[in-house]
């Protein structure tokens, strides 16, 4: 048993979609979220640079006493997870990967769409997963150009964002995809826009949030690291940028609750 925090790291706001899943399922766990913010977006940086940034972030989370670290970023996972596991063998890590396997098992049309960053789509890990599970299926990939920037600017509802989402998704839909994988942790913030663009077409949209949360639970159990019941979870937000960015992280993390709360107050 350990009441030490779980560390969750991303280039920016994206990993908050994973943070929310973990917090909902594991309310006793304290969480430290590190959103780089200074070097975001990672999506088209060279692999070596992303690996350096990931290592610095992990060191910072380890200095904070984290007992397990979730690399809540597909791009950083693709560039650095093997290196991190070698470098810090005593630390349990959970990485993020586009949910290609479940998508290949579920598609009826045989066409799977995967939207992710350039770096994730060209990573060895992604190519190996496609080779392993994509047999007999057509995998149509697309880079979500401008999507991360829109989320970082809190511009999910802007008309320009909808235009960018449409521009990326229409060719994937036209190729016959009946399931679209969101392979970047920023993208679930765009779900309402993505669903608007899909409209009444019978297309499922999936992300990795719930599967990652399950993996966190199983690693906590395997290492005997669950927090004691009712110890009082604490949520902290760190960044490589400035205090203002940390405050924005906190606001975005709790944003869905503020909306619910406002609705309740209104009713
Ligand atoms: N949220 C990230 C991912 O899952 C990184 C996006 C970026 O910084 O480009 O890939």
């Amino acid at each position: 048993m350990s009441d030490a925090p779980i560390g969750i790291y991303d280039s920016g706001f994206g990993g908050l979609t994973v943070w929310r899943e973990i917090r909902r399922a594991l309310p006793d766990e304290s969480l430290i979220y590190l959103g780089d913010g200074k070097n975001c977006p990672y999506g088209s940086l060279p692999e070596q640079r992303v690996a350096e940034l990931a290592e610095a972030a992990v060191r910072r989370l380890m200095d904070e006493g984290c007992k397990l670290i979730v690399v809540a970023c597909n791009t950083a996972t693709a560039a650095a997870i093997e290196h991190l596991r070698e470098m810090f063998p005593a630390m349990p890590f959970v990485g993020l990967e586009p949910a290609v396997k479940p998508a290949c098992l579920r598609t009826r049309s045989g066409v799977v769409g995967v939207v992710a960053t350039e770096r994730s789509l060209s990573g060895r890990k992604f190519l190996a997963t496609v080779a392993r599970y994509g047999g007999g299926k057509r995998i149509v990939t697309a880079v979500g150009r401008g999507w991360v920037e829109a989320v970082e600017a809190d511009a999910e509802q802007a008309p320009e964002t909808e235009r960018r989402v449409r521009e990326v998704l229409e060719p994937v839909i036209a190729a016959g995809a009946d399931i679209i994988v969101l392979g970047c942790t920023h993208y679930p913030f765009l779900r309402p826009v993505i669903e608007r663009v899909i409209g009444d077409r019978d297309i499922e949209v999936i992300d990795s949030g719930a599967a990652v949360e399950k993996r966190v639970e199983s690693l906590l159990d395997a290492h005997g690291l669950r927090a004691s019941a009712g110890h009082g979870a604490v949520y902290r937000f760190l960044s490589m940028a400035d205090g203002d960015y940390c405050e924005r992280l906190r606001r975005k993390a709790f944003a869905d609750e503020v909306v619910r709360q406002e609705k309740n107050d209104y009713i």
Side-chain angles (χ1 to χ4, degrees):
M1 205 162 256
S2 164
D3 291 341
I6 294 174
I8 304 171
Y9 154 64
D10 178 49
S11 63
F13 290 165
L16 292 171
T17 56
V18 175
W19 179 92
R20 285 180 182 177
E21 293 280 350
I22 295 175
R23 175 167 176 259
R24 188 190 42 75
L26 299 168
D28 288 323
E29 298 293 341
S30 290
L31 307 176
I32 299 188
Y33 185 87
L34 171 54
D36 180 332
K38 191 173 165 196
N39 304 288
C40 183
Y42 284 5
S44 30
L45 294 180
E47 182 172 87
Q48 182 56 31
R49 178 69 185 136
V50 177
E52 284 162 14
L53 294 170
E55 187 184 321
V58 163
R59 285 191 192 281
R60 175 117 182 242
L61 289 171
M62 287 174 74
D63 288 346
E64 298 289 338
C66 291
K67 61 183 174 185
L68 178 150
I69 294 177
V70 183
V71 180
C73 175
N74 294 261
T75 309
T77 300
I81 197 79
E82 285 148 18
H83 167 69
L84 294 172
R85 289 195 168 117
E86 264 168 37
M87 191 94 191
F88 309 106
M91 174 60 68
F93 283 103
V94 177
L96 256 280
E97 266 187 78
V100 172
K101 181 181 165 188
C104 286
L105 294 174
R106 293 227 283 269
T107 177
R108 287 157 288 123
S109 70
V111 183
V112 169
V114 183
V115 189
T117 69
E118 221 172 312
R119 170 114 333 278
S120 294
L121 293 174
S122 61
R124 281 185 305 280
K125 237 176 158 27
F126 177 72
L127 299 175
T129 307
V130 168
R132 182 145 178 222
Y133 300 106
K137 310 282 186 297
R138 183 162 168 230
I139 313 288
V140 180
T141 61
V143 174
R145 285 209 197 283
W147 292 21
V148 169
E149 289 83 346
V151 172
E152 290 289 316
D154 289 319
E156 286 92 332
Q157 296 305 329
E160 170 63 11
T161 303
E162 179 159 340
R163 193 189 62 73
R164 282 178 179 277
V165 168
R166 193 175 295 284
E167 197 174 85
V168 172
L169 287 188
E170 287 298 355
V172 177
I173 295 170
D178 65 348
I179 185 156
I180 295 179
V181 178
L182 302 182
C184 168
T185 51
H186 279 74
Y187 299 171
F189 278 120
L190 295 169
R191 243 181 204 273
V193 194
I194 291 169
E195 278 161 13
R196 214 159 47 232
V197 166
I198 289 174
D200 54 12
R201 291 175 279 202
D202 189 13
I203 297 171
E204 193 185 349
V205 179
I206 63 170
D207 62 60
S208 314
V212 167
E213 183 283 310
K214 290 272 166 300
R215 179 72 188 139
V216 169
E217 284 199 48
S218 79
L219 269 189
L220 287 176
D221 288 337
H223 292 265
L225 287 175
R226 284 218 188 223
S228 46
H231 88 101
V234 174
Y235 304 115
R236 293 179 55 212
F237 296 86
L238 306 178
S239 166
M240 302 299 190
D242 52 15
D244 182 49
Y245 194 81
C246 290
E247 203 31 57
R248 291 185 63 214
L249 283 171
R250 176 180 292 278
R251 272 206 306 272
K252 192 122 182 148
F254 292 104
D256 56 338
E257 286 168 39
V258 173
V259 171
R260 271 209 299 278
Q261 184 70 36
E262 278 169 2
K263 276 195 187 140
N264 286 342
D265 287 345
Y266 184 70
I267 290 161

